[in-house]
Amino acid sequence: YGPGFLQSERSQYNQAIQKTNDEQLILNLVRLKYHDSPLFMEVSNIASQFTLQNDISITTQLQAGAKGIFTPDAGTFVEERPTISYSPLHGENFVQGVLTAISLKTIVLLFHSGWSVERVFKVCLQRIDKLKNAPGASGPTPKIAPKTEKFFKTAKFLQQLQSQGGLDLVYRVINGEPQLVIRISEAFKNSETANKFARSINATIGQTSYVFGAPSIKDKQSIDIVTRSLLGIMFYLSEAVEVPEQDIVEGRVTVTKTDDGEVFDWAEITGELLRIHNSPNPPVDVSLLIFYRNYWFYINDSDLISKSTFSLLAQIYALQAEK
């Protein structure tokens, strides 16, 4: 019986942990949208004990003038006693992991793990040279709409080169300076897309290597690049949470305005990354669902773009929070 229990129960616990981890992550995105404090809890231990008991008995009744009448009885009883331990994540190491800017080495690792360079740069970077990717969104919702058009175009140029097989990212350390090197193959270095990328960062066209480093390094020969922290990424992606109109009217969330005083639609920035919808009633055909502030917040099961970005966020969380 032991192998049978292992086969049936291990996968169920695996699925339950994966599902609740994702629910916790989306719950914290919604919390940040409402300026509520996030909280993470880790399943630190699961111990499940099974008890199997077989009972076999025979009873008899003796009646006057008759031989014994025998009645057999058998039964099997299975009992599971799971013990699950939770640990709130806190302390210096966890806080540092959440607040520390993602390293350039991690950016390269994500790229070589198969992620789109456009998705990684949009999620993880605040700035390339003078091109800004909503740095104010790395904290609570800003009141003034960010301008990200030039940054998004630059990321799109790189994505086009990646899809054509002409792009590579390399991490290196030169004279103590961590660097991210964008390499464009010889076949594509003079392509229209490569030239547009070079012009967007004010670099010389026709190069095969473009070197980026932290702006804090003095006397460096690299182009500035600024990454977000894990918490900054979560604040940024929390703008993808669509909140009920009533909560907007009653001032429960910050309303971002354009220069003209119009309400800014954050879908212009996060729409190609992540969409978290809301509903007063439990929706159907969902990938992920949580209940918060009397509303259901969810990601559609058919929204592959949102599911991909959420999976990327989960990987970044695993890398940063467990440092």
Side-chain angles (χ1 to χ4, degrees), residues 49-231:
Q49 181 179 0
F50 293 91
T51 301
L52 176 65
Q53 181 176 337
N54 291 320
D55 292 322
I56 299 176
S57 62
I58 298 177
T59 60
T60 182
Q61 289 181 331
L62 297 178
Q63 299 177 359
K67 296 182 178 181
I69 300 174
F70 297 93
T71 304
D73 184 30
T76 299
F77 175 74
V78 179
E79 181 183 14
E80 179 187 7
R81 297 178 179 177
T83 302
I84 303 174
S85 302
Y86 299 95
S87 300
L89 294 179
H90 54 75
E92 182 179 356
N93 290 338
F94 175 72
V95 173
Q96 285 185 351
V98 169
L99 298 181
T100 301
I102 290 178
S103 69
L104 299 180
K105 186 176 183 179
T106 298
I107 301 294
V108 175
L109 175 64
L110 293 171
F111 172 82
H112 285 285
S113 297
W115 289 105
S116 154
V117 65
E118 181 181 13
R119 190 185 305 274
V120 172
F121 275 24
K122 281 184 176 182
V123 170
C124 299
L125 299 188
Q126 290 190 150
R127 179 166 65 89
I128 299 177
D129 192 38
K130 297 180 180 180
L131 307 178
K132 296 181 179 180
N133 180 26
S138 293
T141 305
K143 294 183 178 181
I144 301 176
K147 295 177 175 61
T148 61
E149 182 180 358
K150 293 181 179 179
F151 181 96
F152 280 16
K153 284 184 177 180
T154 300
K156 182 71 70 176
F157 296 149
L158 292 175
Q159 175 58 40
Q160 292 171 358
L161 290 169
Q162 181 185 13
S163 63
Q164 295 169 351
L167 182 74
D168 190 23
L169 298 189
V170 176
Y171 173 78
R172 69 185 188 187
V173 179
I174 302 295
N175 296 326
E177 177 192 355
Q179 295 179 342
L180 183 152
V181 183
I182 293 180
R183 290 181 176 172
I184 300 175
S185 65
E186 285 286 342
F188 289 93
K189 70 175 185 179
N190 290 313
S191 65
E192 182 180 358
T193 303
N195 291 343
K196 286 181 178 179
F197 167 71
R199 293 190 188 99
S200 69
I201 59 173
N202 297 315
T204 304
I205 64 174
Q207 296 180 199
T208 56
S209 295
Y210 297 89
V211 182
F212 298 83
S216 59
I217 304 298
K218 296 181 179 180
D219 301 325
K220 62 186 179 68
Q221 302 300 315
S222 58
I223 302 168
D224 286 351
I225 189 171
V226 180
T227 62
R228 302 186 197 275
S229 65
L230 171 60
L231 185 60

Side-chain angles (χ1 to χ4, degrees), residues 143-145 147 255-265:
K143 294 183 178 181
I144 301 176
K147 295 177 175 61
V255 177
T256 305
K257 299 290 187 66
T258 65
D259 293 339
D260 298 328
E262 300 292 330
V263 175
F264 178 70
D265 183 6

